Protein backbone atom coordinates (compact mmCIF):
# COMPACT_ATOMS: atom_id res chain seq x y z
CA UNK A 1 0.00 0.00 0.00
CA UNK A 2 1.29 3.49 -0.86
CA UNK A 3 2.45 5.57 2.10
CA UNK A 4 0.40 8.70 2.81
CA UNK A 5 2.19 12.00 2.43
CA UNK A 6 3.13 12.99 5.97
CA UNK A 7 3.56 16.61 7.05
CA UNK A 8 5.48 17.99 10.01
CA UNK A 9 3.48 20.23 12.35
CA UNK A 10 4.22 22.08 15.55
CA UNK A 11 3.23 25.10 17.59
CA UNK A 12 4.76 28.30 16.19
CA UNK A 13 7.14 29.17 19.03
CA UNK A 14 10.20 27.83 20.95
CA UNK A 15 12.19 25.87 18.31
CA UNK A 16 9.62 25.70 15.52
CA UNK A 17 11.79 27.56 12.99
CA UNK A 18 14.47 24.92 13.41
CA UNK A 19 11.98 22.03 13.30
CA UNK A 20 10.45 23.36 10.06
CA UNK A 21 13.80 24.05 8.40
CA UNK A 22 14.89 20.51 9.28
CA UNK A 23 11.61 19.10 7.94
CA UNK A 24 12.05 20.97 4.64
CA UNK A 25 15.64 19.75 4.37
CA UNK A 26 14.36 16.19 4.61
CA UNK A 27 11.56 16.80 2.09
CA UNK A 28 8.50 17.27 4.32
CA UNK A 29 5.88 20.02 4.05
CA UNK A 30 5.19 21.90 7.26
CA UNK A 31 2.24 23.25 9.22
CA UNK A 32 2.62 25.92 11.92
CA UNK A 33 -0.09 26.23 14.54
CA UNK A 34 0.27 29.82 15.73
CA UNK A 35 -1.35 31.92 18.37
CA UNK A 36 -3.00 34.84 16.56
CA UNK A 37 -0.43 37.59 16.19
CA UNK A 38 2.64 35.33 16.27
CA UNK A 39 2.54 34.14 12.63
CA UNK A 40 5.10 36.54 11.16
CA UNK A 41 8.39 34.68 11.78
CA UNK A 42 6.95 31.55 10.16
CA UNK A 43 6.09 33.53 7.02
CA UNK A 44 9.23 35.69 7.01
CA UNK A 45 11.59 32.71 7.11
CA UNK A 46 9.50 30.56 4.72
CA UNK A 47 9.24 28.08 7.54
CA UNK A 48 5.58 27.11 7.28
CA UNK A 49 3.87 25.85 4.14
CA UNK A 50 0.60 26.36 5.97
CA UNK A 51 -0.40 28.30 9.07
CA UNK A 52 -3.36 27.48 11.29
CA UNK A 53 -4.12 30.34 13.70
CA UNK A 54 -5.69 29.76 17.10
CA UNK A 55 -6.71 32.17 19.86
CA UNK A 56 -4.86 30.36 22.62
CA UNK A 57 -2.43 27.44 22.76
CA UNK A 58 -5.02 25.69 24.89
CA UNK A 59 -7.14 25.48 21.70
CA UNK A 60 -4.58 23.19 20.07
CA UNK A 61 -6.63 20.00 20.71
CA UNK A 62 -9.60 21.64 18.95
CA UNK A 63 -7.78 21.84 15.62
CA UNK A 64 -6.21 18.41 15.79
CA UNK A 65 -8.79 16.89 13.43
CA UNK A 66 -7.52 19.25 10.72
CA UNK A 67 -4.01 18.01 11.44
CA UNK A 68 -5.10 14.37 11.37
CA UNK A 69 -6.73 14.88 7.93
CA UNK A 70 -3.46 16.30 6.62
CA UNK A 71 -1.43 13.33 7.94
CA UNK A 72 0.47 15.64 10.24
CA UNK A 73 3.10 14.40 12.65
CA UNK A 74 3.33 16.77 15.60
CA UNK A 75 6.76 17.55 17.02
CA UNK A 76 6.56 18.51 20.70
CA UNK A 77 8.74 21.29 22.07
CA UNK A 78 8.85 23.34 25.26
CA UNK A 79 5.65 25.25 24.52
CA UNK A 80 3.47 22.13 24.46
CA UNK A 81 3.73 21.12 28.09
CA UNK A 82 4.15 24.72 29.31
CA UNK A 83 0.98 26.01 27.67
CA UNK A 84 -1.20 22.90 27.46
CA UNK A 85 -0.11 20.86 30.48
CA UNK A 86 1.13 17.29 30.14
CA UNK A 87 -2.29 15.72 30.74
CA UNK A 88 -3.72 17.54 27.69
CA UNK A 89 -0.70 16.60 25.58
CA UNK A 90 -1.11 12.96 26.68
CA UNK A 91 -4.70 13.00 25.38
CA UNK A 92 -3.76 14.18 21.86
CA UNK A 93 -4.95 11.85 19.11
CA UNK A 94 -2.87 13.30 16.31
CA UNK A 95 0.41 11.54 15.37
CA UNK A 96 3.00 12.66 17.92
CA UNK A 97 6.76 12.16 17.67
CA UNK A 98 8.05 10.77 20.95
CA UNK A 99 6.78 8.85 23.96
CA UNK A 100 3.98 10.79 25.69
CA UNK A 101 4.19 8.58 28.77
CA UNK A 102 7.53 10.12 29.67
CA UNK A 103 6.01 13.62 30.02
CA UNK A 104 4.67 12.90 33.49
CA UNK A 105 8.19 12.02 34.62
CA UNK A 106 9.72 15.27 33.45
CA UNK A 107 6.79 17.49 34.49
CA UNK A 108 6.77 16.61 38.16
CA UNK A 109 9.93 17.67 40.01
CA UNK A 110 9.72 14.73 42.42
CA UNK A 111 9.29 12.09 39.73
CA UNK A 112 12.00 13.75 37.65
CA UNK A 113 14.38 13.56 40.58
CA UNK A 114 13.57 9.88 41.12
CA UNK A 115 14.34 9.24 37.44
CA UNK A 116 17.70 11.04 37.63
CA UNK A 117 18.73 9.43 40.93
CA UNK A 118 17.77 5.95 39.73
CA UNK A 119 19.88 6.58 36.65
CA UNK A 120 22.88 6.96 38.95
CA UNK A 121 23.32 10.69 38.33
CA UNK A 122 24.42 13.22 40.90
CA UNK A 123 21.65 15.65 41.79
CA UNK A 124 21.65 18.70 44.11
CA UNK A 125 20.46 18.07 47.68
CA UNK A 126 16.81 18.70 48.34
CA UNK A 127 15.72 20.33 51.63
CA UNK A 128 12.40 19.01 52.97
CA UNK A 129 11.62 22.16 54.89
CA UNK A 130 13.07 25.69 55.20
CA UNK A 131 14.42 24.78 58.64
CA UNK A 132 16.71 22.21 56.99
CA UNK A 133 18.54 24.83 54.90
CA UNK A 134 22.15 24.58 56.07
CA UNK A 135 23.90 26.00 52.98
CA UNK A 136 23.04 28.24 50.08
CA UNK A 137 19.69 27.08 48.62
CA UNK A 138 17.77 28.02 45.49
CA UNK A 139 14.02 28.35 45.95
CA UNK A 140 12.27 27.24 42.77
CA UNK A 141 8.58 27.56 42.11
CA UNK A 142 6.59 24.74 40.57
CA UNK A 143 5.36 25.17 37.01
CA UNK A 144 7.52 26.38 34.18
CA UNK A 145 7.63 30.15 34.29
CA UNK A 146 11.23 30.37 33.20
CA UNK A 147 12.88 30.97 36.55
CA UNK A 148 10.79 34.03 37.38
CA UNK A 149 10.85 34.81 41.07
CA UNK A 150 13.39 32.12 42.03
CA UNK A 151 15.56 33.35 44.86
CA UNK A 152 18.49 32.23 46.99
CA UNK A 153 18.28 31.73 50.73
CA UNK A 154 21.09 30.98 53.14
CA UNK A 155 18.98 29.80 56.09
CA UNK A 156 15.41 29.60 57.43
CA UNK A 157 15.32 33.24 58.52
CA UNK A 158 16.49 34.47 55.16
CA UNK A 159 13.93 32.19 53.47
CA UNK A 160 11.02 33.47 55.61
CA UNK A 161 11.88 37.04 54.72
CA UNK A 162 12.17 36.45 50.99
CA UNK A 163 9.17 34.12 50.55
CA UNK A 164 6.69 36.79 51.73
CA UNK A 165 5.60 38.02 48.26
CA UNK A 166 5.13 34.42 47.07
CA UNK A 167 3.30 33.00 50.10
CA UNK A 168 0.80 30.89 48.16
CA UNK A 169 3.16 29.40 45.59
CA UNK A 170 4.39 25.81 45.71
CA UNK A 171 8.17 25.56 45.75
CA UNK A 172 11.13 23.22 46.07
CA UNK A 173 14.29 23.97 48.02
CA UNK A 174 17.44 22.82 46.32
CA UNK A 175 21.08 23.13 47.23
CA UNK A 176 22.59 25.91 45.09
CA UNK A 177 25.54 24.51 43.13
CA UNK A 178 28.22 27.00 42.21
CA UNK A 179 29.71 26.09 38.86
CA UNK A 180 29.15 26.40 35.13
CA UNK A 181 25.63 25.54 33.97
CA UNK A 182 25.94 23.34 30.89
CA UNK A 183 22.96 22.09 28.89
CA UNK A 184 23.70 18.93 26.93
CA UNK A 185 21.56 18.09 23.91
CA UNK A 186 21.17 14.42 23.07
CA UNK A 187 19.29 12.36 20.51
CA UNK A 188 18.43 8.72 21.09
CA UNK A 189 17.28 6.70 18.11
CA UNK A 190 14.77 3.95 18.88
CA UNK A 191 15.41 2.66 15.36
CA UNK A 192 19.15 2.06 15.82
CA UNK A 193 19.34 2.14 19.65
CA UNK A 194 22.16 4.64 19.45
CA UNK A 195 22.75 7.81 21.39
CA UNK A 196 24.22 10.98 19.87
CA UNK A 197 25.44 14.20 21.39
CA UNK A 198 23.91 16.94 19.22
CA UNK A 199 25.38 19.97 20.93
CA UNK A 200 25.57 22.01 24.12
CA UNK A 201 24.64 25.45 25.26
CA UNK A 202 24.85 27.85 28.12
CA UNK A 203 21.73 29.81 28.89
CA UNK A 204 21.80 33.53 29.26
CA UNK A 205 19.50 34.46 32.11
CA UNK A 206 18.30 37.80 33.41
CA UNK A 207 19.39 39.16 35.73
CA UNK A 208 21.75 36.53 37.16
CA UNK A 209 24.12 36.70 34.18
CA UNK A 210 24.28 40.50 34.41
CA UNK A 211 25.17 40.78 38.07
CA UNK A 212 28.85 40.41 37.30
CA UNK A 213 28.65 43.64 35.29
CA UNK A 214 28.34 45.68 38.44
CA UNK A 215 30.80 45.44 41.28
CA UNK A 216 29.96 43.94 44.69
CA UNK A 217 30.31 47.47 46.10
CA UNK A 218 27.39 48.61 43.94
CA UNK A 219 25.40 45.43 44.57
CA UNK A 220 25.55 46.07 48.32
CA UNK A 221 23.93 49.45 47.74
CA UNK A 222 20.88 47.65 46.30
CA UNK A 223 19.51 45.68 49.27
CA UNK A 224 16.46 44.44 47.30
CA UNK A 225 18.58 43.04 44.50
CA UNK A 226 17.99 39.30 44.16
CA UNK A 227 19.22 37.16 41.30
CA UNK A 228 16.51 35.92 38.93
CA UNK A 229 16.76 33.23 36.27
CA UNK A 230 14.54 34.43 33.45
CA UNK A 231 15.92 32.95 30.26
CA UNK A 232 16.73 35.41 27.50
CA UNK A 233 18.72 33.30 25.03
CA UNK A 234 21.18 30.50 24.48
CA UNK A 235 24.90 30.62 23.78
CA UNK A 236 26.74 27.80 21.99
CA UNK A 237 29.52 26.09 23.89
CA UNK A 238 31.89 23.20 23.30
CA UNK A 239 32.84 21.22 26.39
CA UNK A 240 36.36 20.16 27.33
CA UNK A 241 36.76 17.00 25.31
CA UNK A 242 37.74 14.85 28.30
CA UNK A 243 34.24 15.34 29.75
CA UNK A 244 32.61 13.69 26.73
CA UNK A 245 32.83 10.03 27.84
CA UNK A 246 31.00 10.86 31.09
CA UNK A 247 28.38 12.93 29.31
CA UNK A 248 27.66 10.12 26.85
CA UNK A 249 27.27 7.63 29.70
CA UNK A 250 24.91 9.99 31.52
CA UNK A 251 22.66 10.25 28.46
CA UNK A 252 22.62 6.48 28.07
CA UNK A 253 21.80 6.01 31.75
CA UNK A 254 18.66 8.18 31.64
CA UNK A 255 17.46 6.43 28.49
CA UNK A 256 17.98 3.01 30.08
CA UNK A 257 16.13 4.04 33.22
CA UNK A 258 13.27 5.56 31.20
CA UNK A 259 12.71 2.19 29.53
CA UNK A 260 11.79 0.81 32.96
CA UNK A 261 9.71 3.82 34.00
CA UNK A 262 7.67 4.37 30.85
CA UNK A 263 8.18 1.71 28.17
CA UNK A 264 9.33 1.95 25.40
CA UNK A 265 11.28 4.73 27.10
CA UNK A 266 12.70 8.05 26.08
CA UNK A 267 13.69 8.51 22.43
CA UNK A 268 14.29 11.43 20.11
CA UNK A 269 15.85 14.63 21.41
CA UNK A 270 16.35 15.36 25.11
CA UNK A 271 18.53 17.54 27.30
CA UNK A 272 20.31 17.18 30.61
CA UNK A 273 20.63 20.45 32.49
CA UNK A 274 23.79 20.28 34.53
CA UNK A 275 26.22 22.30 36.59
CA UNK A 276 29.95 21.47 36.44
CA UNK A 277 31.89 22.30 39.56
CA UNK A 278 35.61 23.07 39.93
CA UNK A 279 35.98 19.55 41.39
CA UNK A 280 34.68 18.29 38.02
CA UNK A 281 31.51 16.97 39.54
CA UNK A 282 28.50 17.03 37.24
CA UNK A 283 25.21 17.79 38.98
CA UNK A 284 22.03 17.30 36.97
CA UNK A 285 19.21 19.57 38.10
CA UNK A 286 16.72 18.93 35.34
CA UNK A 287 15.89 16.82 32.30
CA UNK A 288 13.85 17.92 29.28
CA UNK A 289 12.42 15.01 27.34
CA UNK A 290 12.08 16.84 24.02
CA UNK A 291 13.89 19.35 21.81
CA UNK A 292 15.23 22.29 23.85
CA UNK A 293 15.61 25.90 22.71
CA UNK A 294 19.35 25.61 23.37
CA UNK A 295 19.60 23.73 20.05
CA UNK A 296 18.49 26.85 18.15
CA UNK A 297 22.00 28.27 17.65
CA UNK A 298 22.76 25.09 15.68
CA UNK A 299 20.30 25.35 12.79
CA UNK A 300 23.31 24.78 10.52
CA UNK A 301 24.53 21.93 12.73
CA UNK A 302 26.88 21.93 15.73
CA UNK A 303 30.58 21.02 15.95
CA UNK A 304 29.45 17.57 17.13
CA UNK A 305 26.95 16.94 14.33
CA UNK A 306 29.56 18.17 11.84
CA UNK A 307 31.75 15.26 12.96
CA UNK A 308 29.02 12.70 12.33
CA UNK A 309 27.07 13.96 9.33
CA UNK A 310 28.06 15.23 5.92
CA UNK A 311 25.15 17.66 5.82
CA UNK A 312 24.28 20.45 8.31
CA UNK A 313 22.35 18.46 10.94
CA UNK A 314 20.29 20.38 13.45
CA UNK A 315 18.23 18.58 16.08
CA UNK A 316 15.13 19.64 14.10
CA UNK A 317 16.53 17.99 10.99
CA UNK A 318 17.57 14.91 12.98
CA UNK A 319 13.94 14.49 14.07
CA UNK A 320 12.77 14.72 10.44
CA UNK A 321 15.47 12.26 9.38
CA UNK A 322 14.35 9.80 12.07
CA UNK A 323 10.76 10.06 10.84
CA UNK A 324 11.92 9.60 7.24
CA UNK A 325 13.96 6.53 8.18
CA UNK A 326 11.00 5.14 10.13
CA UNK A 327 8.69 5.62 7.13
CA UNK A 328 11.24 4.05 4.75
CA UNK A 329 11.62 0.96 6.93
CA UNK A 330 7.92 0.67 7.85
CA UNK A 331 8.57 1.41 11.52
CA UNK A 332 6.66 4.66 11.90
CA UNK A 333 4.73 3.27 14.90
CA UNK A 334 8.03 2.93 16.73
CA UNK A 335 8.54 6.70 16.78
CA UNK A 336 4.92 7.76 17.41
CA UNK A 337 3.84 6.68 20.91
P1 LIG B 1 15.20 25.50 36.24
O1 LIG B 1 13.87 26.21 36.34
O2 LIG B 1 15.32 24.33 37.15
O3 LIG B 1 15.53 25.18 34.79
O4 LIG B 1 16.33 26.54 36.70
C1 LIG B 1 16.50 27.81 36.10
C2 LIG B 1 17.93 28.28 36.29
O5 LIG B 1 18.28 28.34 37.66
C3 LIG B 1 18.98 27.37 35.67
O6 LIG B 1 19.18 27.61 34.31
C4 LIG B 1 20.22 27.68 36.49
O7 LIG B 1 20.84 28.88 36.05
C5 LIG B 1 19.64 27.95 37.86
N1 LIG B 1 19.64 26.76 38.73
C6 LIG B 1 18.65 25.85 38.85
N2 LIG B 1 18.96 24.93 39.78
C7 LIG B 1 20.17 25.25 40.27
C8 LIG B 1 21.02 24.69 41.28
N3 LIG B 1 20.65 23.61 41.98
N4 LIG B 1 22.20 25.31 41.51
C9 LIG B 1 22.56 26.41 40.82
N5 LIG B 1 21.81 26.99 39.88
C10 LIG B 1 20.62 26.43 39.60
Amino acid sequence: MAQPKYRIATIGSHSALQVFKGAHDEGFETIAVCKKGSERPYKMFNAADEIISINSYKDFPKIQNQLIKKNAIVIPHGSFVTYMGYEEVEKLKVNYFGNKKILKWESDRNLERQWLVNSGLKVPLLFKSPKDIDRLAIVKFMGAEGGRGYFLAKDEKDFNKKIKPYKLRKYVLQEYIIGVPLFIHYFYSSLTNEIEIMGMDIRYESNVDSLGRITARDQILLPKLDPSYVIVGNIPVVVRESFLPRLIEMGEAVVKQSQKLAPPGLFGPFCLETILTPEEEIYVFEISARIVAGTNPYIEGSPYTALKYNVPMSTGRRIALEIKNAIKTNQLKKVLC
Side-chain angles (χ1 to χ4, degrees), residues 140 150 174-177 203 205 229 273 275 286:
K140 299 192 198 184
Y150 288 9
Q174 219 177 57
E175 170 189 18
Y176 186 86
I177 309 292
R203 282 190 196 168
E205 294 169 336
Y229 299 84
E273 311 192 354
I275 300 180
E286 211 162 295

Side-chain angles (χ1 to χ4, degrees), residues 134-314:
D134 62 353
R135 63 195 80 187
L136 192 61
I138 180 165
V139 183
K140 299 192 198 184
F141 295 106
M142 301 296 223
E145 274 191 48
R148 197 175 297 277
Y150 288 9
F151 61 86
L152 304 185
K154 67 176 183 355
D155 53 28
E156 187 181 7
K157 197 168 150 224
D158 191 26
F159 171 87
N160 286 337
K161 197 169 77 196
K162 290 176 178 164
I163 194 72
K164 276 190 187 133
Y166 309 104
K167 265 281 186 250
L168 296 171
R169 301 266 316 258
K170 273 179 129 185
Y171 57 79
V172 291
L173 302 170
Q174 219 177 57
E175 170 189 18
Y176 186 86
I177 309 292
I178 299 179
V180 172
L182 184 75
F183 296 73
I184 308 143
H185 323 143
Y186 298 89
F187 190 96
Y188 182 76
S189 169
S190 56
L191 303 178
T192 63
N193 300 323
E194 271 175 34
I195 195 152
E196 293 165 48
I197 289 207
M198 303 299 292
M200 288 160 208
D201 76 286
I202 290 185
R203 282 190 196 168
Y204 212 54
E205 294 169 336
S206 193
N207 61 12
V208 70
D209 289 314
S210 326
L211 294 180
R213 303 182 72 186
I214 58 173
T215 63
R217 190 189 58 201
D218 294 321
Q219 291 181 21
I220 286 164
L221 296 175
L222 299 166
K224 288 204 173 132
L225 181 71
D226 268 316
S228 57
Y229 299 84
V230 177
I231 181 141
V232 174
N234 305 82
I235 305 172
V237 64
V238 172
V239 78
R240 220 171 85 197
E241 199 158 309
S242 56
F243 279 119
L244 280 177
R246 282 167 73 190
L247 300 184
I248 296 167
E249 276 171 23
M250 286 165 59
E252 276 172 344
V254 291
V255 169
K256 205 164 165 205
Q257 183 61 25
S258 74
Q259 292 166 348
K260 291 183 202 151
L261 302 175
L266 175 62
F267 62 86
F270 67 99
C271 173
L272 289 180
E273 311 192 354
T274 72
I275 300 180
L276 273 71
T277 71
E279 292 75 33
E280 301 191 3
E281 306 230 65
I282 308 175
Y283 285 86
V284 182
F285 63 90
E286 211 162 295
I287 179 165
S288 295
R290 37 124 186 122
I291 186 169
V292 288
T295 59
N296 285 337
Y298 302 120
I299 288 185
E300 278 294 291
S302 78
Y304 299 101
T305 61
L307 293 168
K308 193 169 161 75
Y309 296 94
N310 290 323
V311 292
M313 187 59 67
S314 68

